[in-house]
Amino acid sequence: MNDVSPIRAKSGTNQEGTSAHNRRVMIEALRLNGALSRADLARATQLTKQAVSNIIEDLERDGLVVGLDTVRKGRGQPSTPYRLVPEGAFAIGLQIDRHLTRAVAVDLVGSVLARAEANLPFDEPSKGVEVILGLVDGVRRQLAGISAQSEGRLVGLGVAMPGPFGLKNSDDKWMMPAWQKFPLLETLAAGTGLNVGLQNDSAACATAERMVGAAHGVDHAVCLYVGYGIGAGLILNGELYSGGHGNAGEIGMALLSPAGPGSTPLEHRASLASLYQHLGLDPADDGLYNRIGMMTAAEDPRIMAWIEGAAHDLRWSVHLIETIFDPQTVILTSGAPEALARRLVEGMHPLLPSIADRPGRNLPRLQLGTTDPWSIAIGAAAAPISRAFDPLFSAILKTRSDGF
C-alpha cells in the first residue's frame, strides 16, 4: 500500500442498481495501485465502507481478489490489503496482418502466458482463417497447461487488424480488401466458441499501453502507431475511443497535401511499408525485424535518409493530434525495432509549436512507448479484459452479464 502518493481510482456511486460499475471501479483501482485495504478503497472510490466490504467479499468469492497478510500501521486498527488474482480471468488476442498472424494469451493483469505466430497467405482469408484457428487452439492448449481453470475463465477473443473498416471502395491492397469482405468474426466465434471483438491495430496498441505501458493511469493520451501502416489509438477520459464505425484514429489516411494529383497519405511516406519499399525488402521476410535493427544500429545511409523524411511527416501528425485532442501526452508505438523507433522520436524534435506547448507539464509532449512486435496481439488480448472489468459508462446502465 502507498501512504504517500494519491490513490488513482475512479469514483463509484452509492446509488442503487450500480453494483456492476462499482465492482469495475474497485478492480481498476487494484490494477492501477496494487494492493489496497478496504479503507483505502473506500476513500479513493468514495463508496461507503459497507459497499466496499460487500464488493470485496463478492470479488473474493469469484476468485478475482485475495486478501494478503494483515498489517498494522502505528496505533491504528490492523488492516488487510487486497490484490487482484492474475488467474482470475484470461483472454486471447489475435493480430491479423497482411503476411502474418500472432496469438497471445494474457491473464487479468495483462501478463503474457502463451504466444504463437504463423505466416498467412496474402489476401486469402478462406485459407488464412484455418491457420488462425489452429494458432488459437495451440495457444489455448498452452494456457490450459499453465492453469487448469483457464477454459472456464476465458472472457473472450480480441482481434486486431489494419483498418479502416467498411469503406465503400476498399480495393486498395493496403486495406486487406479480401479480409474486409470475409465473415471473419462469425467464423472465429463459431470456430472457437468465444465472444469475439474487433479493433484496428493502432487501437490495440493503445489498449496495451493503457494496461501495461506508458499510458497506464493516464486519462488522456494518443498512441501514434507506426507499423506497416500508421494509426492513432485514442484514450479519452480514461477510455478507448473507437468512433462510430471503429475507424477513429486512422491518421495514416490523412493527406499531406491538398487532395488531387500528387496527394499522398501519411502512411505511404512514413510507415514501415514505405521503409520496406525504400529499401527494396520483402515485408514477408521472417528475418526482417532483425535486419532493420542491425541496419539502424549501423546507421545505414538509406535508413537514415528514410528516418529524416518520415520524422518530418510524423512531426506534423503530432501537431495535428495535439491540436484536435489536447492529450496529456502522445506516445509513439511501433512494430519496428526499438533503435529505429527511438531514432524516429529523436528526429521528430523539435516538435512544432502547438496548444500542448505549455509550462508545467507533468508528461512529455511526445514519448517512446512499446516497440514490441507482439504489442498489437497483446493489446487485442487486453481488449476483452477491459470490456469485462474496466469501469465504463455502459456498466452503470446494465447489470453484469460476463459470468464472473
Side-chain angles (χ1 to χ4, degrees):
M1 290 180 292
N2 195 327
D3 299 319
V4 179
S5 301
I7 298 173
R8 293 177 294 174
K10 289 186 173 67
S11 296
T13 173
N14 291 298
Q15 299 178 6
E16 293 184 5
T18 56
S19 60
H21 173 71
N22 292 338
R23 181 180 171 110
R24 289 167 178 256
V25 164
M26 299 265 284
I27 290 173
E28 184 185 57
L30 293 172
R31 179 174 62 83
L32 289 174
N33 300 280
L36 295 171
S37 69
R38 297 187 188 201
D40 290 332
L41 286 164
R43 285 193 296 270
T45 63
Q46 300 181 35
L47 292 170
T48 65
K49 292 182 179 179
Q50 185 59 52
V52 168
S53 293
N54 291 342
I55 293 172
I56 285 292
E57 289 175 5
D58 287 345
L59 294 175
E60 276 192 296
R61 184 173 56 251
D62 292 344
L64 295 172
V65 305
V66 63
L68 305 179
D69 292 339
T70 300
V71 297
R72 183 183 294 276
K73 295 185 294 183
R75 298 181 180 179
Q77 293 290 324
S79 63
T80 300
Y82 294 85
R83 67 166 175 82
L84 292 178
V85 177
E87 302 81 12
F90 303 93
I92 295 175
L94 183 65
Q95 175 192 4
I96 301 174
D97 212 330
R98 296 155 182 87
H99 303 283
L100 61 81
T101 181
R102 295 186 176 103
V104 301
V106 303
D107 61 22
L108 179 58
V109 297
S111 299
V112 176
L113 303 177
R115 65 176 69 195
E117 65 179 332
N119 292 326
L120 284 179
F122 183 71
D123 236 20
E124 295 186 42
S126 57
K127 295 180 180 179
V129 77
E130 296 178 8
V131 176
I132 290 168
L133 288 172
L135 206 67
V136 172
D137 186 58
V139 166
R140 290 174 81 163
R141 288 198 303 271
Q142 290 183 55
L143 184 59
I146 296 170
S147 173
Q149 62 179 350
S150 63
E151 277 297 308
R153 290 183 171 270
L154 271 174
V155 297
L157 170 65
V159 181
M161 60 184 290
F165 305 129
L167 300 189
K168 182 177 180 180
N169 297 312
S170 59
D171 292 332
D172 187 337
K173 292 296 183 182
W174 284 63
M175 299 182 191
M176 300 174 65
W179 286 91
Q180 292 270 359
K181 299 170 184 175
F182 186 77
L184 179 63
L185 300 189
E186 298 86 347
T187 304
L188 291 177
T192 64
L194 298 173
N195 292 324
V196 182
L198 175 68
Q199 59 186 167
N200 64 34
D201 44 16
S202 57
C205 276
T207 304
E209 291 291 338
R210 181 173 175 270
M211 177 170 275
V212 296
H216 187 69
V218 179
D219 287 331
H220 307 279
V222 175
C223 297
L224 179 61
Y225 172 66
V226 179
Y228 194 93
I230 293 177
L234 311 177
I235 300 170
L236 308 178
N237 291 319
E239 297 184 14
L240 190 73
Y241 178 74
S242 59
H245 302 90
N247 289 327
E250 287 287 352
I251 195 170
M253 303 295 292
L255 300 178
L256 293 173
S257 60
S263 59
T264 306
L266 171 65
E267 65 182 11
H268 285 200
R269 286 175 38 170
S271 66
L272 295 187
S274 72
L275 173 62
Y276 304 151
Q277 186 177 28
H278 176 72
L279 298 175
L281 298 177
D282 181 359
D285 182 356
D286 290 338
L288 191 58
Y289 182 86
N290 292 332
R291 184 172 180 180
I292 293 295
M294 289 188 292
M295 292 177 70
T296 305
E299 298 186 350
D300 184 289
R302 294 172 297 168
I303 287 268
M304 303 310 291
W306 178 85
I307 289 174
E308 182 179 359
H312 177 273
D313 294 336
L314 292 170
R315 182 188 298 121
W316 165 82
S317 72
V318 171
H319 172 83
L320 182 64
I321 287 168
E322 290 176 332
T323 303
I324 297 174
F325 296 106
D326 188 26
Q328 292 167 269
T329 186
V330 177
I331 303 166
L332 187 138
T333 67
S334 181
E338 182 179 350
L340 177 63
R342 192 170 297 280
R343 288 275 190 175
L344 276 175
V345 170
E346 292 170 355
M348 292 162 70
H349 286 88
L351 296 173
L352 296 173
S354 81
I355 59 173
D357 190 10
R358 61 170 65 91
R361 293 185 60 92
N362 295 322
L363 294 170
R365 288 174 59 188
L366 174 67
Q367 59 180 304
L368 182 62
T370 304
T371 57
D372 187 342
W374 290 82
S375 59
I376 294 176
I378 294 170
I385 297 286
S386 177
R387 284 194 296 270
F389 298 107
D390 286 355
L392 305 169
F393 179 69
S394 59
I396 301 178
L397 305 178
K398 63 182 180 181
T399 57
R400 289 170 39 78
S401 60
D402 48 54
F404 287 92

